[in-house]
Amino acid sequence: MFNLAIDSKLRGCDLVSLRVRDITHGNRVLSRAMVIQRKTQRPVQFELTEPTRTAVSAWLEKSHLRSDQFLFPSRVATSPHVSTRQYARIVHHWAEAAGLDSSAYGMHSMRRTKATLTYKRTKNLRAVQLLLGHSKLESTVRYLGIEVDDALEISEQTEI
């Protein structure tokens, strides 16, 4: 779940509601997947790195899930998949296990991590916009917490 959360950059509600068929083809975990975001009803594509594919494959082998089942099923009979609240508790547990202040990390930290690293490495706002599925570049600028003028200047320099 951790690897997939980082790779996919999905909101918590979209991550917990993934089905096996969303990221697999037959017995193979895909290197790229596309899902429709619940909030925007727009498709977003993401890459699954080799470590993520390995982790997901191990999970699928252990859990014996069918393609139509949720990737992270709930143990609670009344819920078909892990709830966003349970996912939030899991993220806090990960932070604590890593020796971090768990109050500083949440579900959204998982979504933001790869996007922030991608921007720092490439300075390519458009790429990050596409990764996050934002319709407006201004939303991506706000999301990353950077100054609009700085972002536009960097963006213009990288397009040349």
Side-chain angles (χ1 to χ4, degrees):
M1 185 182 256
F2 178 85
N3 290 15
L4 191 56
I6 297 288
D7 275 1
S8 70
K9 298 158 300 304
L10 292 173
R11 291 176 182 88
C13 63
D14 293 323
L15 181 73
V16 298
S17 62
L18 282 174
R19 292 185 185 268
V20 173
R21 66 175 171 236
D22 293 331
I23 61 166
T24 63
H25 183 75
N27 292 334
R28 197 175 111 258
V29 178
L30 301 170
S31 59
R32 288 186 188 271
M34 184 180 292
V35 296
I36 303 295
Q37 299 175 96
R38 187 184 310 178
K39 180 179 177 181
T40 63
Q41 294 302 305
R42 294 175 54 129
V44 65
Q45 186 174 359
F46 54 92
E47 183 178 349
L48 286 84
T49 60
E50 183 60 39
T52 298
R53 292 193 306 270
T54 301
V56 169
S57 291
W59 168 243
L60 292 174
E61 188 174 317
K62 180 181 180 183
S63 62
H64 305 289
L65 296 171
R66 296 182 320 271
S67 68
D68 62 324
Q69 291 180 295
F70 287 101
L71 189 57
F72 305 111
S74 175
R75 292 184 296 182
V76 179
T78 57
S79 179
H81 57 74
V82 169
S83 69
T84 54
R85 183 67 210 123
Q86 180 61 25
Y87 174 50
R89 285 191 287 267
I90 292 168
V91 171
H92 285 288
H93 175 73
W94 289 335
E96 286 174 358
L100 302 170
D101 175 8
S102 67
S103 66
Y105 297 90
M107 291 187 305
H108 214 73
S109 302
M110 305 303 290
R111 175 168 160 78
R112 190 176 229 140
T113 299
K114 196 166 189 177
T116 302
L117 292 173
T118 300
Y119 178 72
K120 284 182 179 178
R121 191 175 331 114
T122 67
K123 302 296 187 221
N124 187 334
L125 276 173
R126 178 71 176 135
V128 175
Q129 177 189 11
L130 293 171
L131 288 173
L132 294 170
H134 289 165
S135 57
K136 296 180 183 175
L137 195 60
E138 295 79 22
S139 300
T140 306
V141 169
R142 230 181 3 264
Y143 188 86
L144 293 172
I146 56 179
E147 295 296 321
V148 177
D149 293 339
D150 294 343
L152 293 176
E153 183 180 327
I154 290 168
S155 193
E156 287 170 0
Q157 290 172 357
T158 58
E159 290 176 6
I160 295 175

